[in-house]
Amino acid sequence: MNDHTTNLLDDSAALNLGELAPRVMRLSAIVCAIALGLALALGLGAGDGMRAFQFAYLQNYCFVLSIALGALFFVVLQHLTRAGWSVVLRRLAEIMAATTAPLLILFLPILLPLLLGSWGLYVWNNPELALHDELIRHKLPYLNAAFFGVRCVLYFGIWGLSARWFLNRSVEQDVARNDRLTMRMQAASAPVMLLFALSVTFASFDWLMSLDPHWFSTIFGVYFFAGCTVGFLASLILAVAALQASGRLTYSITVEHYHDLGKLLFGFVFFWGYIAFSQYLLIWYANIPEETVWYLARQSAGWQFISLALVFGHLLIPFVGLMSRSVRRNKTWLVGWSVFLLAMHWLDLYWLVMPAYSGNQPILGLLDVCCLVGLGSALVGLSAWIASTRLLIPVGDPRLSDSLAFHNV
Amino acid sequence: MTTTASPRETPATPRLVALLAEFDSVDELLSAARRVRDAGYERWDAHAPFPVHGLDDAMAIRPTRLPWLVFVAGVAGCVAALVFQWWTNAIAYPFLISGKPLFSLPANIPVSFEVTILLSAFAAFFGMFALNGLPRWSNPLLRVRRFRQATQSKFFIAIDAADARFSPEATRDWLASLGPAHIDEVRDDGLDAALPKPLVWGALIVAALALVPPVMIAKARVTTGGQPRYHPFFDMDAQPNLRAQQASHLFADGRAARMPVAGTIARGELFDDTALYLGQRRLSAAERQEQAVAEAAADPNQPPADVPPRDGYAWVETLPVPVSERLMLRGQQRFNIYCAPCHGLTGNGEGVVSVRALELQQGTWVPPTSLHAEHVRQQPVGQWFNTITHGVRKMPGYGEQLSAEDRWAVILYMQALQRSQDARPADVPPDVLPQLQNSP
């Protein structure tokens, strides 16, 4: 493809979304509106007080947001480690991370009903529950709608503002070519990483763990984070492949970058498995009913097949499949595995969220598909919108030449 | 370019092992390497002070087999660990841990994971050494003085004499055409081939000695011995303290066990409340005076009181414990257990034991006293207490069976029983009284 000693940057046409942006934005907007409208109609028609809609929406929203959060992690991590290999990929991650701010709007269908007193999704919002349930009563100072709302603002504030900040500094550097901006981004990456860790942890507690307010797991935040990273890395591979298929970034991003993304994907798949097993093992071993209830729900009434599917599909099979160097250097294989792992990540979130909706069998319906398509296209559209006025590579980064010449030994 | 003059071929001349070409720069090395590769040489190597990018391709180095070695070792480790845990926990020594299944996969995963990593790491480390032909005792390359620059500032290519295309003169001439700064001959110094004898003997001796502990253990597992088992960790098992029945030379009577010091009172056994524990109260000086007067005036022919209290003490007249319904119910329960067999449930002396004994007509039975008898009524409660504790006439004492509080509870119930057979209209509740008055 290209001689590694003389890597070229793509010309400016290939560094812009160009006329792809408005087309993608238009298409995404239409698909999103139709899909979410249909989802809303299905939810209203279901006759259960919009519970089915809220659960499906929450699960798919967390799926979409997890990709954006994984992107933010990637950006902050590259600055934290002063990485040179990833510069050509970082703008794409910055763009995806910057979708967290507009995604706040899409969170309102969850937040507003809660603030207005709905407890179809989060049972702890039911004031009568606290009368009978001592445990909920003790958790009320944390699990109440007002504090929940404040925390949501805090999370989106941290994510939105930091993602924006990193994107803006990087874009500023495209023009200014000022190395001091890199110094500033590196210096900011450490405190932002801490804030990221705390905010993602507590967001996962609030939005996912509190679906069963009697249950708790201290490693839950890490578990969600691991899923975010797997989801993002898979998405980035797909995004790069799609852009290269459209004729963009064909020279800048090489097989070496795919190789490293494959390595990271492999590593984080195993990390996810490690954390998932750690959470399971401690609860299994202690066998305390207060904790096992959550896993019992996921081991019965058909959910055990999804659990097994996750063990094999999210851990064992990708682990063996992504182990080989040649697989990681093969774009087709990597794209295939990325699609598969995105599906597995979606299944993981489904497994996290849905047992709280009905302990009964897992059923996949049109509602789930509509929410997925709607929110997924929203993510794509928002990314295209943010990317439309910016270059797809941080051309001003001092480590760009390292990245272009990057070569795995 | 200079050449080290080769010594005349004599029987003593060491064998030629390789030809060494020296270069001054990375680019020279790379281009020379490509030409050596293209010329078809297979057994050769390049040496540089730092990793050179692109040297792998220039030398056509094939991807190493090491990852496969590591993978196989990892799988072997995982399987071995699982089998080991299965055999030990489910077959050889089935042992229930926390109620988990004998072979439980979740519990077995941590060990399996670690052993996988361990064996993979061993394979990677030792495998890398082995694939590099290490350890070598000596490399003839190191005998070439100029080669020291390989870690400083020079680059080398060494073509092995064992290569198929190697010929001492032709290869040397061809190497010269690559433009090296110098060509050296690398000769076998004879040090590389054999393992040092002391090392071989040492390893054999260590291996033989290493067999001794397992053999000893194996022998011990299948034999019995006269000595107690070797006990390496005492964990306070054998303490040099003296126990109750042991002998001791420290004391005249030879016993380790000693009596308590005179006057020792066990906890809870300081019975200092005579009213509670004896049913007696200390008389004041005036009362003692009165008593002395009464004794002096008493009829000498009258039999003395059943059991007199201690000197200077009198029986208590009232219960020294707070009266409550709880005490009453306790007393009822204790009375029915301990007293009723002889004295009857109503206290009239017709308990089942007595009825049976009278049936037997053996002539030795003394019927139990009716608790409603006048002389019993006359006695102060302290005397009742004394009777219950020590017994009287044929009745045994119940002081061992009933605690002091329980005895007072029984006494309270006895008073209730007596009242039941000697009630007055004033004792009847006002709302029930009309019923009694109106009934025939």
Side-chain angles (χ1 to χ4, degrees):
Chain A
M1 195 167 75
N2 51 348
D3 187 349
H4 65 267
T5 54
T6 54
N7 268 29
L8 298 168
L9 192 58
D10 288 275
D11 59 35
S12 53
L15 287 181
N16 265 302
L17 266 188
E19 92 283 343
L20 201 56
R23 279 170 38 205
V24 171
M25 284 162 64
R26 204 170 27 243
L27 186 63
S28 310
I30 295 170
V31 171
C32 178
I34 294 176
L36 287 184
L38 186 57
L40 210 60
L42 285 167
L44 285 164
D48 61 349
M50 295 297 277
R51 268 194 90 222
F53 171 79
Q54 287 197 298
F55 270 90
Y57 191 88
L58 175 73
Q59 188 245 325
N60 286 289
Y61 182 82
C62 287
F63 175 68
V64 159
L65 184 72
S66 69
I67 296 171
L69 290 176
L72 179 58
F73 169 70
F74 186 81
V75 171
V76 179
L77 182 69
Q78 303 312 310
H79 286 297
L80 194 61
T81 54
R82 305 180 189 194
W85 72 274
S86 58
V87 173
V88 293
L89 296 167
R90 205 185 65 226
R91 177 58 55 78
L92 298 174
E94 286 165 2
I95 289 166
M96 287 160 84
T99 60
T100 46
L103 277 175
L104 168 60
I105 312 293
L106 284 169
F107 191 62
L108 293 176
I110 306 277
L111 186 58
L112 286 180
L114 187 84
L115 291 174
L116 293 172
S118 156
W119 49 269
L121 187 60
Y122 294 113
V123 294
W124 46 261
N125 206 27
N126 178 4
E128 280 172 25
L129 192 67
L131 294 176
H132 312 295
D133 195 322
E134 198 195 324
L135 201 57
I136 303 294
R137 205 163 43 240
H138 282 291
K139 296 190 185 183
L140 270 185
Y142 185 83
L143 287 180
N144 60 76
F147 195 11
F148 187 94
V150 166
R151 287 197 301 275
C152 283
V153 170
L154 208 63
Y155 303 144
F156 280 100
I158 291 171
W159 301 331
L161 290 173
S162 50
R164 272 284 137 161
W165 188 83
F166 279 102
L167 176 64
N168 288 346
R169 296 291 78 70
S170 180
V171 168
E172 199 183 312
Q173 202 176 42
D174 285 353
V175 176
R177 309 271 165 154
N178 185 355
D179 288 0
R180 266 210 54 80
L181 286 164
T182 300
M183 299 295 129
R184 283 177 63 194
M185 286 194 280
Q186 278 167 196
S189 61
V192 170
M193 189 61 102
L194 284 170
L195 288 173
F196 173 84
L198 288 169
S199 57
V200 166
T201 299
F202 282 96
S204 72
F205 288 168
D206 287 356
W207 303 342
L208 295 170
M209 202 170 82
S210 74
L211 287 169
D212 184 351
H214 296 99
W215 183 75
F216 65 95
S217 158
T218 51
I219 209 177
F220 196 82
V222 188
Y223 180 79
F224 180 64
F225 157 71
C228 289
T229 317
V230 169
F232 162 69
L233 287 166
S235 304
L236 184 62
I237 290 169
L238 292 177
V240 171
L243 285 168
Q244 287 191 330
S246 76
R248 290 164 178 79
L249 303 177
T250 43
Y251 288 111
S252 315
I253 299 180
T254 66
V255 65
E256 310 293 341
H257 301 109
Y258 277 108
H259 187 181
D260 263 29
L261 285 176
K263 282 190 246 172
L264 281 173
L265 190 60
F266 173 76
F268 275 95
V269 158
F270 196 75
F271 177 66
W272 175 90
Y274 192 93
I275 301 299
F277 181 70
S278 300
Q279 185 174 262
Y280 179 75
L281 182 67
L282 298 198
I283 290 176
W284 176 85
Y285 221 107
N287 211 10
I288 299 174
E290 184 188 42
E291 296 169 4
T292 57
V293 60
W294 194 84
Y295 274 107
L296 275 175
R298 286 155 181 78
Q299 273 173 211
S300 42
W303 286 101
Q304 61 268 40
F305 301 110
I306 306 227
S307 304
L308 277 173
L310 283 173
V311 168
F312 283 95
H314 203 310
L315 174 61
L316 295 175
I317 296 172
F319 178 71
V320 176
L322 279 168
M323 205 188 287
S324 156
R325 185 178 194 265
S326 37
V327 167
R328 297 172 191 174
R329 290 177 77 86
N330 182 318
K331 199 204 292 202
T332 318
W333 273 103
L334 214 50
V335 164
W337 280 113
S338 299
V339 171
F340 179 73
L341 280 168
L342 258 185
M344 283 296 122
H345 178 51
W346 186 90
L347 194 66
D348 184 25
L349 282 165
Y350 187 82
W351 178 84
L352 278 179
V353 170
M354 286 309 183
Y357 167 58
S358 75
N360 303 329
Q361 291 176 297
I363 348 160
L364 239 68
L366 190 57
L367 188 53
D368 301 290
V369 175
C370 286
C371 287
L372 174 62
V373 169
L375 289 165
S377 59
L379 180 70
V380 172
L382 286 169
S383 305
W385 175 53
I386 294 170
S388 58
T389 52
R390 299 169 172 95
L391 292 172
L392 295 176
I393 284 184
V395 292
D397 194 294
R399 298 193 179 100
L400 180 65
S401 50
D402 286 347
S403 185
L404 291 169
F406 173 62
H407 185 80
N408 274 298
V409 292
Chain B
M1 190 202 76
T2 60
T3 317
T4 307
S6 46
R8 270 176 302 137
E9 289 287 343
T10 67
T13 306
R15 180 177 68 86
L16 181 69
V17 167
L19 280 175
L20 190 68
E22 179 185 320
F23 299 91
D24 290 325
S25 76
V26 177
D27 292 324
E28 283 178 41
L29 175 72
L30 279 172
S31 57
R34 287 189 199 103
R35 289 178 61 183
V36 174
R37 171 195 69 190
D38 294 338
Y41 284 98
E42 306 229 312
R43 298 188 59 156
W44 61 287
D45 209 352
H47 305 270
F50 47 79
V52 174
H53 231 59
L55 194 55
D56 286 15
D57 287 332
M59 290 178 69
I61 292 180
R62 281 185 293 277
T64 167
R65 287 168 295 158
L66 191 59
W68 287 104
L69 215 62
V70 173
F71 181 71
V72 167
V75 171
C78 187
V79 169
L82 282 171
V83 167
F84 175 70
Q85 288 175 97
W86 167 73
W87 190 77
T88 52
N89 289 342
I91 308 293
Y93 198 92
F95 192 63
L96 274 180
I97 303 174
S98 298
K100 302 294 190 284
L102 288 174
F103 178 57
S104 67
L105 208 51
N108 292 334
I109 283 182
V111 169
S112 307
F113 170 69
E114 299 296 341
V115 175
T116 306
I117 304 293
L118 181 71
L119 289 200
S120 307
F122 280 165
F125 183 75
F126 294 114
M128 185 276 286
F129 265 63
L131 288 174
N132 278 320
L134 295 171
R136 283 182 77 165
W137 308 113
S138 168
N139 194 325
L141 270 177
L142 297 169
R143 300 282 170 235
V144 177
R145 198 165 186 85
R146 295 184 75 100
F147 189 69
R148 289 177 191 194
Q149 288 300 308
T151 56
Q152 302 277 349
S153 58
K154 299 291 183 191
F155 305 83
F156 293 85
I157 287 179
I159 302 184
D160 200 332
D163 192 297
R165 292 175 193 273
F166 186 88
S167 109
E169 294 79 24
T171 306
R172 177 202 291 280
D173 292 335
W174 179 82
L175 261 183
S177 72
L178 298 181
H182 195 86
I183 294 186
D184 273 298
E185 285 181 349
V186 183
R187 298 215 168 255
D188 187 3
D189 54 5
L191 292 175
D192 184 25
L195 217 52
K197 276 281 185 308
L199 202 63
V200 176
W201 280 110
L204 282 172
I205 290 170
V206 167
L209 286 175
L211 282 173
V212 172
V215 166
M216 285 176 66
I217 291 170
K219 174 171 177 291
R221 281 178 71 86
V222 295
T223 56
T224 57
Q227 294 292 328
R229 254 207 304 247
Y230 183 58
H231 199 100
F233 301 107
F234 292 134
D235 287 339
M236 295 174 68
D237 291 343
Q239 295 171 10
N241 54 8
L242 293 171
R243 284 173 285 282
Q245 301 300 325
Q246 282 180 330
S248 168
H249 60 270
L250 295 172
F251 302 101
D253 59 6
R255 297 178 190 164
R258 312 311 305 158
M259 294 298 292
V261 172
T264 301
I265 301 177
R267 284 177 213 267
E269 294 197 1
L270 178 64
F271 303 125
D272 52 352
D273 184 348
T274 54
L276 183 62
Y277 294 107
L278 298 176
Q280 301 172 18
R281 65 177 175 82
R282 201 182 172 80
L283 290 171
S284 64
E287 284 171 317
R288 238 175 297 145
Q289 192 82 356
E290 274 180 39
Q291 188 186 59
V293 167
E295 269 176 17
D299 186 353
N301 296 323
Q302 184 89 1
D306 247 303
V307 183
R310 274 201 250 168
D311 233 357
Y313 283 79
W315 301 119
V316 293
E317 309 275 341
T318 56
L319 270 69
V321 289
V323 171
S324 65
E325 185 178 345
R326 198 158 159 268
L327 194 71
M328 180 66 80
L329 290 168
R330 176 74 176 171
Q332 178 183 38
Q333 191 210 44
R334 296 287 114 180
F335 182 92
N336 290 342
I337 294 169
Y338 292 100
C339 315
C342 289
H343 288 283
L345 287 167
T346 55
N348 59 6
E350 291 176 6
V352 289
V353 171
S354 179
V355 168
R356 174 64 180 153
L358 290 171
E359 266 179 21
L360 289 173
Q361 291 185 336
Q362 288 173 344
T364 54
W365 182 248
V366 176
T369 313
S370 167
L371 300 178
H372 305 291
E374 195 51 39
H375 73 273
V376 178
R377 279 184 203 282
Q378 300 291 349
Q379 290 176 3
V381 290
Q383 192 169 0
W384 289 359
F385 185 87
N386 188 69
T387 305
I388 297 173
T389 307
H390 301 293
V392 65
R393 294 180 290 277
K394 292 291 189 179
M395 170 180 157
Y398 284 82
E400 295 302 314
Q401 284 83 4
L402 290 165
S403 67
E405 286 81 8
D406 277 346
R407 282 174 250 158
W408 286 116
V410 166
I411 286 169
L412 180 65
Y413 183 64
M414 276 171 64
Q415 289 182 320
L417 279 177
Q418 287 182 340
R419 181 77 81 78
S420 74
Q421 301 304 306
D422 185 33
R424 296 185 175 71
D427 292 328
V428 181
D431 49 342
V432 182
L433 196 56
Q435 286 180 355
L436 286 174
Q437 286 173 334
N438 291 338
S439 64

